[in-house]
Amino acid sequence: MRNEAEETPELLSFWAMKIVVQNSRSSVWHLLALFTIVFWGTSFVSTKVLLGYDFSAVQIFTFRFVVTYLILLLACHRKFWCENFKHELILFVCGITGCTLYFWTENTALTLSSSSNVSLIVCTNPLLIMIFGGIIYKTERLCKRQVLGCLVTFVGMVLVVLNGKFVLKVSPLGDFLAFGSALVWTIYSLVIKKLNGVYSTLFITRKVFFYGMLTSLPIMLVEKSPIPWSNFALPVVSLNFLCLTVFSSLFGYLIWNKVLKQLGTVLASNYIYAIPLVTIITAVVALSERITFLGVVGAFAIVAGMVLAEMKKK
């Protein structure tokens, strides 16, 4: 028989390999979270371009939902309804909060308040998720180092959004809608967690866009803005719509819903702080906007905060 001394090195080797495999899998999901944030960060620039071609904000996100849903329906059409009414109601809440209400409140806020105000308020949703997620789900509670990382990242996000322009104008209605946008995304992130282990990510995402499409179409009809159909023939319009539909909506939500399941809602949501960083880099490249020294400092703070936040307890 083999003694304990002979078995110990093999056991250590086994557990070492297991840790390496688990860490590599975790790294993949962190990388996919970053890819999603890149998709969503660049979507602001694409939306800004389309607004310049006479599309309204409501038309832009409604078309996104319709096209994305049809693509998902082709990929996943065997199962249409959930197993019970409660699950169907949960996905309805996810669709109206994560799609319709989020984009409507955010875009409307941009017309009533400054972009700096809106960006700062909307990007507080990781803080809301960290607070409410820790209260609702014990598994979502972060250690002190991770909380510190989230706060450092938040400070970096503030510097990036302001980009050296410390001029904030209070707009009660616009700021209220911006906070509403952060709140409904928090609801979406925490509610969708309940069904992550029940249905496939593809099915959940398809249902979310179904209810997003269903609730956004009436808003577009009530708006009664003329749709510039002829502009779809322009390459710049079709390309930006393609980016919004395929990358920001289709891949973005599919990957993000899976990331929430693998990394946890609170920890994954910390990546949202990087959206303004991606947006400002894209704006510098595509729209020739400039970034200040404080913006660069903020960028480093975002990265440093994320590194701190992703560190787990030893």
Side-chain angles (χ1 to χ4, degrees):
M1 294 181 64
R2 301 173 65 186
N3 58 39
E4 188 176 345
E6 292 176 335
E7 291 180 352
T8 299
E10 291 186 8
L11 287 172
L12 290 174
S13 177
F14 169 76
W15 286 111
M17 286 297 296
K18 188 173 182 179
I19 291 171
V20 169
V21 171
Q22 289 177 342
N23 287 339
S24 63
R25 288 177 179 175
S26 178
S27 298
V28 169
W29 294 113
H30 287 296
L31 187 62
L32 288 173
L34 285 172
F35 274 125
T36 308
I37 295 307
V38 170
F39 295 156
W40 289 348
T42 55
S43 70
F44 288 97
V45 177
S46 292
T47 301
K48 190 172 182 178
V49 170
L50 292 173
L51 288 171
Y53 283 88
D54 300 326
F55 289 94
S56 71
V58 176
Q59 290 169 353
I60 293 170
F61 69 70
T62 302
F63 285 137
R64 283 176 63 178
F65 298 160
V66 171
V67 177
T68 304
Y69 172 71
L70 293 176
I71 295 172
L72 288 169
L73 186 62
L74 288 174
C76 174
H77 53 268
R78 292 183 180 180
K79 184 179 180 66
F80 194 79
W81 300 105
C82 295
E83 295 175 357
N84 54 61
F85 177 75
K86 180 182 177 181
H87 290 173
E88 199 71 39
L89 184 61
I90 289 174
L91 286 174
F92 171 78
V93 172
C94 291
I96 197 171
T97 55
C99 289
T100 307
L101 286 179
Y102 174 75
F103 284 101
W104 181 77
T105 51
E106 182 184 69
N107 291 334
T108 306
L110 284 169
T111 65
L112 300 171
S113 184
S114 67
S115 58
S116 296
N117 279 36
V118 174
S119 298
L120 286 173
I121 296 171
V122 169
C123 282
T124 58
N125 75 69
L127 286 177
L128 297 175
I129 292 172
M130 183 174 67
I131 294 169
F132 291 107
I135 294 172
I136 299 171
Y137 303 108
K138 291 183 179 179
T139 56
E140 295 288 351
R141 293 173 184 172
L142 304 181
C143 66
K144 292 181 180 179
R145 187 195 297 112
Q146 291 174 315
V147 173
L148 176 62
C150 292
L151 294 176
V152 171
T153 310
F154 176 73
V155 172
M157 182 274 299
V158 171
L159 293 176
V160 167
V161 170
L162 295 179
N163 198 23
K165 301 174 183 178
F166 292 93
V167 180
L168 296 177
K169 296 181 180 179
V170 177
S171 174
L173 181 57
D175 294 344
F176 175 77
L177 286 172
F179 181 75
S181 180
L183 190 60
V184 294
W185 185 260
T186 301
I187 295 170
Y188 166 79
S189 300
L190 295 176
V191 170
I192 202 169
K193 178 181 173 65
K194 295 181 178 293
L195 297 182
N196 271 334
V198 181
Y199 303 99
S200 69
T201 304
L202 190 62
F203 176 80
I204 290 173
T205 308
R206 194 201 75 197
K207 294 292 290 186
V208 166
F209 275 100
F210 170 72
Y211 286 117
M213 174 188 70
L214 210 62
T215 52
S216 63
L217 280 171
I219 299 176
M220 189 177 74
L221 295 175
V222 170
E223 186 186 47
K224 294 182 179 179
S225 296
I227 302 173
W229 295 106
S230 59
N231 287 346
F232 278 105
L234 300 173
V236 64
V237 171
S238 56
L239 184 61
N240 277 283
F241 259 116
L242 183 66
C243 289
L244 287 175
T245 303
V246 176
F247 294 105
S248 299
S249 295
L250 182 61
F251 292 156
Y253 276 74
L254 274 174
I255 296 172
W256 189 250
N257 289 339
K258 193 71 175 178
V259 166
L260 290 176
K261 179 180 178 181
Q262 297 295 329
L263 298 183
T265 304
V266 174
L267 200 57
S269 296
N270 194 46
Y271 280 100
I272 292 174
Y273 286 136
I275 290 179
L277 175 59
V278 176
T279 302
I280 199 169
I281 292 173
T282 308
V284 168
V285 175
L287 304 177
S288 300
E289 294 186 6
R290 58 185 291 269
I291 183 170
T292 64
F293 173 73
L294 284 177
V296 175
V297 173
F300 279 106
I302 288 175
V303 175
M306 283 184 170
V307 172
L308 275 174
E310 302 312 316
M311 290 181 179
K312 298 180 180 180
K313 293 180 181 179
K314 291 184 180 180

